[in-house]
Amino acid sequence: MKQWEAVVFPLGLTSLMYIGSFILKIWSSWAEHGDHQIDISFQNLINWMVSGVYDISVWRMYIVAPLTEELVFRACMISLLLCGGFKAYTVILLSPVLFSLAHLNHLLEYHMQQNTSLLKASMVVGFQLGYTVIFGSYASFLFVRTGHIAAPLVSHIFCNIMGLPAFFSRRTWLVSVGFVAGAISFVYLLFPLTSPSLYNDNCECWHTYCYWT
């Protein structure tokens, strides 16, 4: 089993969907600092990481939640479903639904803790559940294709950090161009960069599950 490929390739693939977000970040930093200066320094990254060490919400969002969810809904659930005779396509579509339902607790958070109406809370959580199903399908796809839990895990952490991809901004049309270019590249490279032969030595596919039969 190859290790670094399971981190680098899925992370690079996932980041393609965020080209618009990267452009928006650079553009905003440029506009904020002026004089054609872009503030993207390792010092800012280090400061953010140090401050997060003492923030329990950071640990929950970026470490604990991705790790536990990937272990339960990918490593354990998908393996059991595949061993139970479910086809790969069925597993990729079924497990994300269960994954999204595990986020229904946010309905109570929005409704009770943030004092929002039940209708508004339902709309917010409904949108979140839809996004969760889409990401869950992608994470399941990564796990089935690569056979590595690291592949969906690093993608999960990255997406939690980045949030929703930026596809439009009134500040510059380059955000939309970047998003479209990234999305096209993502679709084009989806199967090549998740080819089982890249992640497994001496076998074309782990347990033959990614033959898509």
Side-chain angles (χ1 to χ4, degrees), residues 41-211:
S41 63
F42 286 105
Q43 186 62 44
N44 290 338
L45 177 62
I46 293 174
N47 292 338
W48 177 81
M49 294 176 64
V50 170
S51 63
V53 170
Y54 303 99
D55 189 343
I56 192 171
S57 64
V58 171
W59 281 91
R60 173 194 174 191
M61 181 68 68
Y62 305 133
I63 303 297
V64 177
L67 181 60
T68 55
E69 289 173 357
E70 294 309 318
L71 286 175
V72 172
F73 293 101
R74 250 63 74 179
C76 295
M77 183 177 293
I78 288 181
S79 299
L80 289 174
L81 290 174
L82 290 173
C83 289
F86 286 87
K87 301 299 183 182
Y89 283 117
T90 304
V91 170
I92 290 175
L93 295 175
L94 176 61
S95 61
V97 175
L98 303 176
F99 173 59
S100 67
L101 292 178
H103 293 76
L104 280 175
N105 62 294
H106 294 301
L107 179 62
L108 293 178
E109 289 184 17
Y110 283 111
H111 179 52
M112 301 180 65
Q113 296 181 9
Q114 299 186 20
N115 296 320
T116 58
S117 66
L118 183 59
L119 177 60
K120 183 177 180 180
S122 299
M123 293 176 62
V124 172
V125 173
F127 176 79
Q128 185 182 39
L129 292 184
Y131 172 73
T132 303
V133 168
I134 295 174
F135 172 78
S137 298
Y138 173 60
S140 300
F141 175 87
L142 288 177
F143 182 70
V144 170
R145 290 280 288 175
T146 67
H148 279 267
I149 190 60
L153 179 59
V154 295
S155 299
H156 196 156
I157 294 173
F158 179 77
C159 288
N160 278 10
I161 293 175
M162 296 296 296
L164 290 173
F167 59 89
F168 172 78
S169 175
R170 294 182 178 180
R171 296 183 177 183
T172 173
W173 53 270
L174 290 175
V175 173
S176 297
V177 173
F179 174 80
V180 172
I184 293 175
S185 300
F186 175 85
V187 173
Y188 180 77
L189 294 172
L190 182 60
F191 276 87
L193 286 184
T194 60
S195 174
S197 61
L198 293 175
Y199 305 93
N200 300 276
D201 293 318
N202 302 322
C203 64
E204 294 184 359
C205 180
W206 70 290
H207 300 299
T208 72
Y209 288 134
C210 41
Y211 282 129

